[in-house]
Amino acid sequence: MIRRTTSAAALLAFLLAGCGGGSAVSDYGKVVKGSKGATVQVEVRAGQRFSLAVTDNPSVGDSWELVELPDAKVASFISEEHESQGEGPGSGRTAYFVFNGKRPGTTEIKLFDCWRCGQAGTPSTEESKQQSGEAIFAVTVVPR
């Protein structure tokens, strides 16, 4: 029994160490930056990986979410990744929503930044409503 626990713990430590700071994806592909209140045009080839990047700061209650998945025939969601923008406490980060272009077509991807929403996931105060918002990405996948 002890041997299995030790092996399992060692395997878990190895897997976590190999993830590069908790990141499951090391290739973000084509990175496209977005922000609250903006609509960004994205063009990728079929089979091309791409990421939608937005900045946030969870330490002050600022966090992005994928509102709904895109048309699965056009683009597929791979993962959500985060990279810190600084070493100190309270420093912001960049959130990367990673996708793969599938077949030629168009789809819209919406991300929502819920500012100080807590577990509710919806703005509960007037300030939260004013600071929250969507970033929209109009994605076009073209043939290879």
Side-chain angles (χ1 to χ4, degrees):
M1 257 320 171
I2 294 172
R3 189 172 197 192
R4 282 187 183 171
T5 304
T6 304
S7 296
L11 178 60
L12 180 59
F14 173 76
L15 290 173
L16 290 174
C19 288
S23 177
V25 173
S26 61
D27 177 13
Y28 296 149
K30 177 180 181 176
V31 176
V32 180
K33 295 180 181 181
S35 61
K36 278 185 263 193
T39 299
V40 178
Q41 302 295 319
V42 180
E43 185 175 298
V44 295
R45 294 179 320 279
Q48 182 178 7
R49 182 172 287 190
F50 65 98
S51 296
L52 309 178
V54 287
T55 58
D56 65 11
N57 191 337
S59 68
V60 296
D62 186 25
S63 182
W64 287 91
E65 293 182 8
L66 178 61
V67 175
E68 67 181 57
L69 293 173
D71 181 345
K73 294 175 187 170
V74 178
S76 61
F77 177 66
I78 297 173
S79 69
E80 178 181 344
E81 308 296 331
H82 300 97
E83 287 187 8
S84 177
Q85 293 177 340
E87 297 295 321
S91 60
R93 67 180 185 178
T94 300
Y96 295 91
F97 293 83
V98 186
F99 297 86
N100 190 47
K102 300 291 277 186
R103 295 187 188 131
T106 60
T107 190
E108 189 173 84
I109 301 173
K110 292 181 183 178
L111 304 178
F112 183 68
D113 183 15
C114 202
W115 192 80
R116 294 193 176 170
C117 293
Q119 297 296 340
T122 57
S124 59
T125 67
E126 194 56 41
E127 183 180 23
S128 179
K129 288 176 187 173
Q130 290 174 357
Q131 295 294 325
S132 297
E134 281 186 332
I136 300 171
F137 297 85
V139 178
T140 301
V141 176
V142 297
R144 292 179 198 223

